[in-house]
């Protein structure tokens, strides 16, 4: 069932495997044209659900004229290529997101970078092979696409009578953007601000200068400055109190940084070893990978703050107190 937010503005909830089970995409309508914000995962009847929901408001896949992407994770852009093929829609995304998307499709580059990064941080070759297989499985279900338009920070986009601004919010993903409707005080937050969970932070395996946690906290600070009355996230229910939520997320990360710092005692440890202390040592493979990423982003900031030191030990990077 389609969910009407206001006149000519709708939320569409699409299915998704994995824990969250659903992802929301948003549709603006102007006459016979639709602008879609994110596209959903390319699995499990997602396309049919989107088609039926658009039909229920007198529109169709062919009505989609523009696709605005928040970030290039499979649950947010998985159907972009497919929708573009059917409708000729123009795909808008940040230049960094477009580049990341091309990198994901470059199997050799991604495999090389994954091996390098996860070996350094303490996974075994066998564990890394498992990750590579998992990622190539994901790649197979994302319809391939290239961006048609590179969004610039604070650019004002127009669609019929609607105006919305592009807010760059790197953190959860390097090229993430949110869409802000100043007049209506709506924020389409993608995965930057979610009502119940703190989005996972992961390295950019190709851009080694990317500081996910540092960027994420700066993005929260930038969003807090906007007058927002309603946040429409990629997952979970819409909600109102932006500042309470950003404060909770900041506190969550401050606490996690403290816990991670407290692990750096005794023998120097790899990122993976620290992640096992924090998140447990009996995790399924995907969670093991997320836990390592989350630990890495904190260790990186602690290192840059001068609180801990990074050394090389054999083929691993290890962390110790200064
Ligand atoms: Zn998501």
């Amino acid at each position: 069932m389609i969910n009407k937010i206001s006149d000519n503005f709708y939320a569409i909830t699409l299915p998704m495997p994995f824990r969250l089970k659903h992802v929301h995409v948003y549709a603006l309508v102007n006459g016979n044209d639709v602008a879609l914000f994110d596209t959903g995962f390319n699995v499990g009847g997602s396309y049919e659900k989107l088609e039926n929901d658009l039909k229920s408001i007198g529109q169709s896949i062919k009505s989609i004229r523009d696709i605005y992407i928040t970030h290039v994770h499979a649950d947010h852009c998985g159907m972009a290529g497919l929708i573009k093929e059917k409708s000729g829609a123009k795909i808008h995304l940040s230049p960094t997101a477009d580049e990341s998307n091309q990198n994901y499709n470059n199997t050799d580059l991604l495999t090389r970078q994954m091996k390098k990064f996860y070996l350094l941080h303490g996974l075994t070759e066998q564990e890394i092979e498992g990750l590579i297989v998992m990622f190539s499985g994901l790649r197979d279900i994302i319809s391939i696409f290239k961006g048609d338009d590179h969004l610039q920070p604070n650019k004002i986009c127009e669609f019929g009578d609607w105006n919305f601004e592009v807010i760059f919010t790197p953190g959860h993903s390097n090229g993430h953007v949110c869409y802000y409707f100043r007049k209506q005080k709506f924020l389409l937050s993608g995965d930057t601000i979610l009502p119940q969970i703190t989005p996972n932070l992961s390295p950019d395996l190709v851009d080694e200068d990317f500081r996910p946690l540092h960027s994420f906290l700066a993005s929260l600070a930038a969003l807090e400055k906007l007058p927002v009355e309603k946040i429409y996230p990629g997952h979970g229910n819409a909600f109102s109190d932006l500042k309470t939520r950003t404060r909770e997320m900041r506190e969550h990360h401050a606490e996690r940084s403290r816990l991670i710092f407290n692990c750096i005692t005794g023998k120097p440890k790899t990122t993976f070893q620290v992640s096992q202390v924090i998140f447990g040592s009996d995790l399924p493979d995907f969670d093991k990978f997320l836990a390592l990423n989350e630990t890495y982003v904190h260790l990186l900031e602690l290192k840059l703050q001068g609180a801990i030191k990074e050394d090389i030990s054999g083929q691993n990077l290890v962390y110790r107190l200064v």
Side-chain angles (χ1 to χ4, degrees):
M1 200 186 66
I2 198 158
N3 182 10
K4 185 171 173 179
I5 295 171
S6 70
D7 281 348
N8 296 319
F9 197 9
Y10 300 87
I12 298 172
T13 304
L14 299 175
M16 153 173 169
F18 310 134
R19 219 159 284 155
L20 293 166
K21 301 280 184 231
H22 74 277
V23 56
H24 305 303
V25 307
Y26 297 90
L28 277 185
V29 175
N30 177 46
N32 293 322
D33 292 332
V34 170
L36 195 66
F37 295 80
D38 284 343
T39 70
F41 224 126
N42 189 21
V43 283
S46 224
Y47 185 84
E48 293 72 20
K49 170 83 167 55
L50 179 63
E51 195 169 37
N52 286 332
D53 279 3
L54 288 174
K55 206 165 142 195
S56 73
I57 53 166
Q59 305 292 339
S60 68
I61 299 283
K62 281 201 165 58
S63 320
I64 301 173
R65 201 188 74 186
D66 294 285
I67 299 170
Y68 288 90
I69 305 280
T70 60
H71 63 299
V72 291
H73 287 168
D75 49 335
H76 296 262
C77 70
M79 292 203 289
L82 183 61
I83 294 169
K84 181 180 172 174
E85 191 189 303
K86 305 273 181 191
S87 66
K90 199 168 170 181
I91 299 179
H92 310 261
L93 76 179
S94 73
T96 308
D98 203 21
E99 195 184 322
S100 297
N101 190 41
Q102 306 316 317
N103 291 339
Y104 289 146
N105 295 325
N106 183 341
T107 318
D108 289 348
L109 173 73
L110 196 66
T111 303
R112 200 166 56 237
Q113 293 302 101
M114 283 184 83
K115 281 189 177 156
K116 185 175 146 202
F117 182 85
Y118 290 104
L119 263 184
L120 271 176
H121 289 285
L123 289 187
T124 64
E125 298 213 13
Q126 197 189 355
E127 284 166 329
I128 298 168
E129 276 311 318
L131 283 180
I132 290 167
V133 169
M134 188 185 71
F135 273 91
S136 57
L138 265 184
R139 214 171 12 244
D140 289 346
I141 52 174
I142 302 178
S143 59
I144 304 265
F145 71 93
K146 255 192 154 158
D148 300 297
D149 171 40
H150 283 173
L151 298 168
Q152 299 306 321
N154 307 315
K155 175 192 159 95
I156 298 178
C157 305
E158 288 175 19
F159 185 78
D161 293 336
W162 297 88
N163 282 320
F164 52 93
E165 296 168 36
V166 180
I167 315 291
F168 274 39
T169 55
H172 170 63
S173 154
N174 197 350
H176 196 295
V177 304
C178 293
Y179 297 99
Y180 176 55
F181 291 68
R182 193 169 286 274
K183 195 168 150 211
Q184 293 79 7
K185 299 194 172 78
F186 292 164
L187 181 72
L188 302 192
S189 65
D191 279 355
T192 295
I193 302 187
L194 298 171
Q196 250 112 37
I197 55 167
T198 306
N200 175 260
L201 303 179
S202 298
D204 183 323
L205 295 177
V206 181
D207 176 4
E208 287 165 9
D209 292 330
F210 179 49
R211 294 166 60 185
L213 178 59
H214 177 81
S215 304
F216 182 70
L217 296 175
S219 295
L220 295 186
L223 289 175
E224 276 175 334
K225 293 203 183 100
L226 302 173
V228 171
E229 276 176 7
K230 200 91 179 174
I231 299 125
Y232 293 96
H235 311 275
N237 294 332
F239 61 105
S240 295
D241 193 349
L242 174 68
K243 288 198 174 136
T244 299
R245 191 63 197 123
T246 50
R247 194 188 64 234
E248 286 167 357
M249 292 198 284
R250 245 195 311 271
E251 284 169 3
H252 165 88
H253 282 299
E255 175 60 14
R256 186 153 283 166
S257 271
R258 258 193 307 276
L259 288 174
I260 289 176
F261 177 72
N262 289 340
C263 284
I264 311 298
T265 50
K267 231 175 110 210
K269 295 182 186 72
T270 64
T271 306
F272 181 52
Q273 285 166 337
V274 177
S275 79
Q276 288 188 306
V277 179
I278 302 289
F279 295 95
S281 54
D282 200 20
L283 297 175
D285 283 352
F286 190 63
D287 291 339
K288 210 188 271 182
F289 157 78
L290 293 179
L292 189 156
N293 285 344
E294 194 77 32
T295 305
Y296 162 79
V297 306
H298 284 276
L299 289 172
L300 175 66
E301 292 309 317
L302 288 167
K303 178 184 81 172
L304 293 172
Q305 288 159 17
I308 61 171
K309 203 163 173 340
E310 180 184 86
D311 286 325
I312 190 102
S313 164
Q315 59 179 8
N316 297 134
L317 291 175
V318 291
Y319 298 90
R320 63 173 173 83
L321 288 176
V322 176

